[in-house]
Amino acid sequence: MKTTRSTSSALRIGILGCANIARQFARDVAPSRKVRVDAVASRNAETAAAFAADHAIGRHHGTYEALLSDPDIDAIYIPLPNSLHAEWAIRAAEAGKHVLCEKPLALGAAEARSMFDAAARHGVMLLEAYPYYFQPQTGDMLALLREGAIGTVRSVQASFGFNLAKPQGNIRMNPELGGGALLDAGSYPLSLIRLVMGCAPQRVQADASWADSGVDISLAATLFYADGRRAQFDCAMDSAMHRRAMIAGTQGTIETEFLNHTSAEPAGDAHGYLPSQLRLRRGTAGTVPFENLQSATGSGFRFAAEAFAAVIARRDFDGIARAAAASIDIAATIEALAQSAKLGRAIDVQAG
């Protein structure tokens, strides 16, 4: 049976796993009155107990199954390795729990569809957790696009990369755990491209560099759309940190860093969060100055969790269906890009 709660009470979340990202999530969500982390699970009881003590979480479980059986949990947050997302999202749905799942949701489109099918069968909501999606800055960017501030979008360029300081033993270097730049970093710019373009590309052409472990260490690609639009993106795990997108329209351009977590302070934030740039040029000439736009700031983890709580409280299954369509498009695009990089030719995207 699906867990029920009053629409006026906080969403009770259980964290499935104790990775570093789970610690950041627990820390950032802690001040919220709309969501509350009430339990955590690990496959090691001592690890779960230590995590719970560190973050003042009331309950801890020594197995994932025990968390899914916890009657006082409404929703599960999944920060597990990419290869485990589908299994545990489906099992959580079968246990009647809503699911907030870290990106990338799935390793392919068929896997993503099976996850959403399970959620629908059991009357729960499943949402892919891209923290920047829920940043006020992203909402401001989408409002500009809707109002036609840059005319009709013709192209998008998006990039995200970072450097793995200690690649040896890192799960991102393990192909069996869904590692590689495309899945770990590329899903971010691809999600922004899908957000802006509103649909999946028709075909893709990708080129990658490969690590000895067999994962892609960097990848760049062009996405071709049925209406003649194009997008380009690149991702890397062997470069300095960078994260930026440029949206070109018929009447102007938008540039953004689309950061997961933001601060109004240029330095000195307690968690190292920084301001995220959003610039708008209303015009086609290079002489038109950019406007630097300011948005509200904060943790994308908290924004995402509170947005998820809101759609659950409203029973906004239509909103979840729109998000699901985007997630399936992203998964299908990732699948085609991986195939293109391996085969060295353009691949059609099997979305929809």
Side-chain angles (χ1 to χ4, degrees):
M1 291 293 291
K2 185 166 62 272
T3 305
T4 59
R5 69 185 183 98
S6 166
T7 57
S8 62
S9 62
L11 180 72
R12 302 169 300 180
I13 294 178
I15 300 179
L16 197 75
C18 297
N20 286 336
I21 192 171
R23 293 183 175 276
Q24 297 168 31
F25 179 88
R27 178 198 69 200
D28 286 8
V29 166
S32 177
R33 295 184 178 182
K34 299 176 182 178
V35 296
R36 188 175 68 236
V37 177
D38 274 3
V40 63
S42 172
R43 285 172 165 161
N44 181 296
E46 292 181 358
T47 300
F51 187 106
D54 288 345
H55 297 282
I57 297 171
R59 297 191 306 286
H60 51 86
H61 299 286
T63 67
Y64 294 165
E65 292 85 355
L67 177 62
L68 299 188
S69 298
D70 190 329
D72 295 319
I73 292 298
D74 304 308
I76 301 295
Y77 170 64
I78 299 180
L80 298 173
N82 300 335
S83 59
L84 299 178
H85 289 180
E87 175 188 353
W88 288 101
I90 290 171
R91 292 181 69 168
E94 290 171 345
K97 310 296 186 186
H98 303 290
V99 181
L100 182 63
C101 184
E102 267 301 322
K103 63 81 209 164
L105 183 75
L107 302 183
E111 197 172 74
R113 291 187 187 98
S114 71
M115 295 163 75
F116 286 112
D117 287 346
R121 284 197 309 274
H122 296 280
V124 297
M125 295 186 177
L126 166 63
L127 182 65
E128 188 172 14
Y130 287 100
Y132 84 88
Y133 259 24
F134 306 95
Q135 280 284 343
Q137 184 182 87
T138 303
D140 293 343
M141 180 193 75
L142 293 175
L144 291 171
L145 294 174
R146 285 194 298 267
E147 72 184 34
I150 63 169
T152 302
V153 172
R154 298 304 306 155
S155 67
V156 183
Q157 295 176 328
S159 180
F160 179 37
F162 55 86
N163 195 310
L164 282 180
K166 297 179 180 179
Q168 190 69 29
N170 194 299
I171 63 170
R172 294 176 178 87
M173 301 298 292
N174 188 336
E176 294 181 359
L177 295 178
L182 175 60
L183 283 167
D184 200 77
S187 54
Y188 278 111
L190 285 173
S191 68
L192 182 132
I193 289 168
R194 172 56 172 79
L195 197 61
V196 172
M197 292 300 211
C199 63
Q202 187 176 52
R203 69 183 189 282
V204 298
Q205 176 80 58
D207 181 73
S209 297
W210 305 94
D212 291 341
S213 67
V215 304
D216 55 305
I217 198 72
S218 64
L219 183 145
T222 300
L223 285 58
F224 303 89
Y225 290 79
D227 57 5
R229 295 180 297 168
R230 290 179 177 82
Q232 294 176 313
F233 94 100
D234 63 87
C235 55
M237 300 193 300
D238 62 353
S239 73
M241 171 64 75
H242 62 283
R243 183 168 175 145
R244 183 168 291 275
M246 190 278 292
I247 306 165
T250 54
Q251 298 297 321
T253 56
I254 291 174
E255 295 180 357
T256 178
E257 287 182 289
F258 68 105
L259 299 183
N260 279 346
H261 315 294
T262 60
S263 171
E265 301 298 325
D269 178 85
H271 306 312
Y273 298 158
L274 295 169
S276 180
Q277 187 181 68
L278 178 64
R279 302 202 310 166
L280 168 67
R281 171 178 277 159
R282 298 179 187 267
T284 59
T287 54
V288 177
F290 277 97
E291 305 170 38
N292 288 302
L293 307 178
Q294 302 298 318
S295 303
T297 60
S299 165
F301 287 139
R302 179 173 174 177
F303 287 137
E306 291 184 343
F308 192 43
V311 297
I312 291 171
R314 295 195 307 267
R315 296 186 57 80
D316 185 7
F317 283 96
D318 289 341
I320 287 292
R322 291 190 294 272
S327 290
I328 291 170
D329 282 352
I330 294 165
T333 304
I334 287 174
E335 205 167 22
L337 285 163
Q339 188 177 8
S340 176
K342 289 176 182 177
L343 297 179
R345 60 178 176 84
I347 297 292
D348 290 341
V349 178
Q350 304 299 320

